[in-house]
Every structure is written in structure tokens, then in C-alpha cells.
Amino acid sequence: MHINSIGQGPDLVLVHGWSMHSGVWQPLVDLLVKHFRCHLVDLPGHGQSDWHEGDFELSTLLAKLAEALPEKAIWLGWSLGGQVSLAMAKHYPDNLKKLIMLASNPRFVQTDDWPCAMAPEVFDTFSASLADDQQQTLQRFIMLQAKGANQPRQVIKQLSEQLAQQHEPEPDALQAGLKCLAEWDLRDALATVNCPTQIIMAENDHLIPLSLAEYALTLQPKLRIDVMPGLGHAPFISQPQQCQLVIEQFIHE
């Protein structure tokens, strides 16, 4: 697994979302490296990380991350990366000093008892389109992430450029990542997390509804929840300085 470590200071692990790679963090990392040692993870089959069948099996993935990354680090995960980071907090609690879930949901797809997530029919339609046309589906996903942002064209441009800078993710890795989003239920991990935890939400996120805040707090009353106004699913691209401020306030409190 490819991990790029840069900067000086306390260890900060950054885990990207579905279909992207660690380069997507660049606007935010340029600010964070002044204060932290940033460890930028490429998930299996994404960016510069190789893909092998079974790499997204949760126990396998977490074991590789635990082996490659420092203990007592702060973990920052975006979307799918937030779920990975939350799972680390459950299975390797000594590895996390603090946990930050950015535009992320412990249960990505709705169930009867978890309505604060993506509708199953929307997810299924999106998932089916990946097999038909991967390139078009990735572009559609970029549009979804930019929707609701105060500068959607900027978000589309930066995400598209980041996607183009690396080889496209392995098709099997994309399918495996979608399977994780469809099936992972990490609500018990959130309920039992034993390190300080923050969820950063975006007001106009079309993938993670604001109603998540209420449901998440019922699971974990000690949560810190911050809502960034006027932004979509990738707030760290639209407003990296504002996002840095929200992150560092939590880290230093």
C-alpha cells in the first residue's frame, strides 16, 4: 500500500474517499503540513497502490494500515475513508489519538432504522452504471460531489484533474469499494469509539444528509459535530482554509 509521509509535527493520517486517491487532499495538505506529519494513504487499487483480490476485506485492509502507519495518530477520513478510519478506531483503538470523519456516515445506505443516508434505489442505480461505463460513472460521481458547493465548477475542475493525474482506479477495486459502502454498518463502532471523535458535515452535501447529526449523537453523545455552511461533499476543496480551521480547533481542544 502506497503511503506518502510529509511535513513535521504530530502524526495525521488522511484517508481519501471512493474512486479518488491521496492527491485529492492537496489544497488542505498544503496547509496542514505546516503543523503536522501527514501520512497520505492510497487505498488498494487507487493512486499508486496495487490491487489484489480481497484487499477491501475489512480485516485485511485494517491489518495492512495498522502495520504501515504510526500508533497514536490522528485519523482524518473523507467519505469511504471516514468509514475506514472509524473501523480502525474499533479494531485498533491504540492506533488512534483522535478521529475525524469528514462528510462520512457510519452506514452509507439507508435502512429502516437508519434513514439518514443515501436511498437504496439511488445507490443501486449508481452501482449498476459503473459496470456499464466506468468513465462516465466516475464523472457523474464528481458532479454529485460538487453539487451544493458554493463554487461547483472549481470542485469539478479539481476533482477531474486529480482523477486524471493518476491511472484510473482498478475496476475491481471500484466495485469492491461500492460493496463496502453498500454493506458496511459501523454504527456499533461509533457507539463504542473511545477516542475523541468529530464529524464534519457540509450543509449542502447531497450524499450525507444533515439529519445524520441527530442520529449520530444518539449513538455517541460525546461526538463533536461541525457543519460547514454553503458547501457540498468535498468541503476541503471548496474551502480548504475554513476546513483546516475546523479540523485544528478539534485537534487542539
Side-chain angles (χ1 to χ4, degrees):
M1 191 178 301
H2 183 265
I3 298 171
N4 183 27
S5 299
I6 54 175
Q8 299 291 329
D11 291 306
L12 175 61
V13 175
L14 294 93
V15 188
H16 63 82
W18 182 80
S19 81
M20 302 308 287
H21 55 82
S22 59
V24 76
W25 294 108
Q26 198 60 52
L28 180 60
V29 167
D30 287 344
L31 302 171
L32 292 174
V33 291
K34 300 172 184 177
H35 310 289
F36 299 96
R37 176 75 168 165
C38 294
H39 304 274
L40 306 172
V41 176
D42 279 340
L43 290 172
H46 296 69
Q48 298 181 58
S49 286
D50 294 334
W51 169 253
H52 304 94
E53 192 65 34
D55 276 350
F56 264 108
E57 292 295 330
L58 191 55
S59 59
T60 301
L61 177 60
L62 297 183
K64 289 183 177 180
L65 290 169
E67 181 180 2
L69 291 159
E71 291 188 356
K72 295 299 180 186
I74 302 155
W75 280 61
L76 167 59
W78 171 48
S79 200
L80 174 63
Q83 290 190 314
V84 172
S85 302
L86 178 57
M88 280 294 298
K90 177 182 179 181
H91 294 281
Y92 293 87
D94 291 340
N95 287 44
L96 276 77
K97 184 178 180 181
K98 290 194 174 187
L99 168 63
I100 304 165
M101 298 175 64
L102 176 58
S104 185
N105 196 330
R107 182 77 172 95
F108 192 76
V109 179
Q110 284 179 5
T111 59
D112 290 342
D113 61 347
W114 195 252
C116 53
M118 179 179 282
E121 58 271 17
V122 175
F123 184 88
D124 291 345
T125 299
F126 181 84
S127 183
S129 70
L130 182 66
D132 296 333
D133 191 331
Q134 176 170 308
Q135 183 63 41
Q136 185 178 3
T137 303
L138 291 178
Q139 287 300 318
R140 181 178 166 220
F141 188 58
I142 286 174
M143 301 288 285
L144 275 173
Q145 293 174 90
K147 193 173 182 180
N150 57 0
Q151 299 180 43
R153 290 183 182 179
Q154 174 195 343
V155 176
I156 291 169
K157 180 175 182 290
Q158 291 198 35
L159 288 174
S160 297
E161 287 175 352
Q162 288 296 339
L163 198 60
Q165 282 178 11
Q166 302 272 355
H167 296 298
E168 273 195 15
E170 289 289 334
D172 287 348
L174 289 174
Q175 291 288 358
L178 281 184
K179 188 171 185 287
C180 295
L181 288 172
E183 296 180 358
W184 282 356
D185 188 344
L186 296 163
R187 288 177 287 177
D188 63 331
L190 185 61
T192 58
V193 67
N194 63 1
C195 66
T197 301
Q198 176 188 37
I199 294 181
I200 302 175
M201 306 183 68
E203 181 184 25
N204 299 330
D205 192 336
H206 284 255
L207 300 175
I208 309 293
L210 284 179
S211 57
L212 169 64
E214 177 186 352
Y215 285 86
L217 283 169
T218 63
L219 292 176
Q220 182 50 261
K222 295 179 181 179
L223 269 180
R224 170 169 171 163
I225 295 181
D226 290 276
V227 178
M228 301 184 69
L231 300 178
H233 190 62
F236 59 95
I237 291 178
S238 299
Q239 295 289 339
Q241 291 179 321
Q242 184 182 346
C243 206
Q244 175 207 14
L245 180 64
V246 173
I247 289 167
E248 293 195 9
Q249 282 178 343
F250 168 70
I251 289 175
H252 294 310
E253 71 179 10

